[in-house]
Amino acid sequence: MSGRLDRDARTEWRRHWPVVLAATGGVALSTVNAYSIGLFIDPLEKAFGWSRATISLGPALTAPLAIIMGPVIGGAVDRFGPRRLGLFGAFGLITANLLLSLVGPALWSWWAAWVVMAIVNLFIQPTIWTSAVAGYFRDGRGLALALTLCGSGLGSIITPFLAYELIERLGWRLALVGMAVFWSLMVLPLIVFCFTSVRDEERKRVPSGAPKPDYVRPPIRHLILSRHFFQLAIAGWLVASVVLSLVPNLVPLMTWSGIDRGEAAGIAALLGISSIGGRLTIGFLLDRLHGPLLAAVAVCLPIMASLLFLGFPGSVGAASAAVLILGVALGAELDLIAYLTARYFGVRSFGLIFGSIGGLITLGGALGPLFVNMVYDAAHSYAPALWTYVPLCLISAVLFLSLGRYPAEDPDGAADQPDPLETACQPA
């Protein structure tokens, strides 16, 4: 059985590796602003006298729209295919970055440019890129999704260095132009020539002027009311609230525990390396082991990291181990949700379900750091927040473990699930 699965996975890779490559580039492109905005705050503050809070308000506009519109974009991906949405998003992001280079001195111009960016960001979400990959891969889906989402790690390596060098050499305005040109050359050709999906191929096979085939997807009620949806959504939200609240507070957490700030920054840099390693490892294992079991193990990793911070304050070795463990959890989180969404709901409904859960993950990432800092302001300690992570991770692990067996997946990529309302009405 294992040999047959490996042969089938290799066949999938031979046919569809260009789609994975293009999708990886799309994910990397989507992180450009997240990994570069911090480097532009100081130049903007000096150029226009804007406060850091008002500058940061611009990028913050993207989160609420992503939360609200996540399910809508996901449904559009299912219906129209990800290629057109991804093309619009990629060209739109490059254009929006060029627009940012024209802002000032009025503060409203900065905020207005970020409103445009917030709209464009809807079309470069992970849902766009992963939905194409999930449709083409079945036996090699775990690794394919992992490599696709490694684009964020690629962006975290390239973008900060590129932004810093361009700002130092050309100034902040031309730096934005330079970044737009660089990512255009790196990613746009891949998306234009290699990025497609099963849904896009179906649309092209219909002769010109012929009636479009009926779009088949289980009723939304069927999907949203299923226990699998509730379990995946709540489990994903809980683990995102934990991991995405720890990551931005790593340096303050380590300095609170007694580690020098410079040393803490160096330790925090280990996060990116371990997240890529964790993502690839989980992707490889997902094609061979039961996903809910792997998810339950992965979401308990932040417990180990928290206990290391609590049990060995001021220890560089313990802090380094904690950051490496947390990086694995960070790398595994989105891969697991994407893979389990495809297995339990099928690729026909992938966009809607993954987009909906992605909105909750974004919410957890927005509220989690706020919770941690509120706890610290009240207790002058990170310990209460670290202890809170233990039950949250355990609840998430139980939800993953109780998902049960995968539903049967038909050749068209639809998961065979009973309607929970119909099942409830049937006699025992």
Side-chain angles (χ1 to χ4, degrees), residues 256 371-388:
W256 163 77
F371 162 76
V372 171
N373 289 305
M374 287 175 64
V375 169
Y376 182 82
D377 289 341
H380 301 290
S381 169
Y382 286 103
L386 292 172
W387 283 115
T388 303

Side-chain angles (χ1 to χ4, degrees), residues 53-59 61 103 106-116:
T54 55
I55 294 172
S56 299
L57 180 59
L61 295 172
V103 303
L107 182 58
W108 67 262
S109 64
W110 172 254
W111 290 340
W114 275 101
V115 169
V116 175

Side-chain angles (χ1 to χ4, degrees), residues 206-364:
V206 177
S208 178
K212 299 292 183 183
D214 291 336
Y215 174 67
V216 179
R217 184 177 68 188
I220 292 177
R221 181 192 68 174
H222 173 110
L223 303 173
I224 301 300
L225 293 182
S226 68
R227 74 173 178 89
H228 288 147
F229 175 80
F230 281 106
Q231 287 178 239
L232 270 178
I234 296 171
W237 174 70
L238 287 174
V239 70
S241 298
V242 171
V243 175
L244 299 180
S245 64
L246 267 174
V247 169
N249 287 292
L250 276 177
V251 172
L253 171 59
M254 285 186 278
T255 54
W256 163 77
S257 71
I259 298 175
D260 176 74
R261 179 176 171 82
E263 203 162 22
I267 295 172
L270 297 172
L271 188 75
I273 299 171
S274 63
S275 68
I276 294 176
R279 181 159 280 158
L280 293 175
T281 301
I282 290 293
F284 176 82
L285 293 176
L286 277 172
D287 292 327
R288 289 156 177 82
L289 301 175
H290 192 47
L293 177 61
L294 284 175
V297 172
V299 299
C300 287
L301 293 177
I303 296 177
M304 298 172 59
S306 297
L307 294 178
L308 284 170
F309 283 127
L310 290 165
F312 304 93
S315 168
V316 172
S320 299
V323 170
L324 288 170
I325 291 170
L326 186 63
V328 175
L330 176 65
E333 172 214 349
L334 202 59
D335 301 59
L336 288 164
I337 298 296
Y339 181 86
L340 293 175
T341 297
R343 288 307 301 261
Y344 283 100
F345 294 93
V347 296
R348 286 285 185 184
S349 307
F350 181 87
L352 174 65
I353 300 300
F354 189 57
S356 301
I357 298 175
L360 288 175
I361 290 175
T362 301
L363 180 63

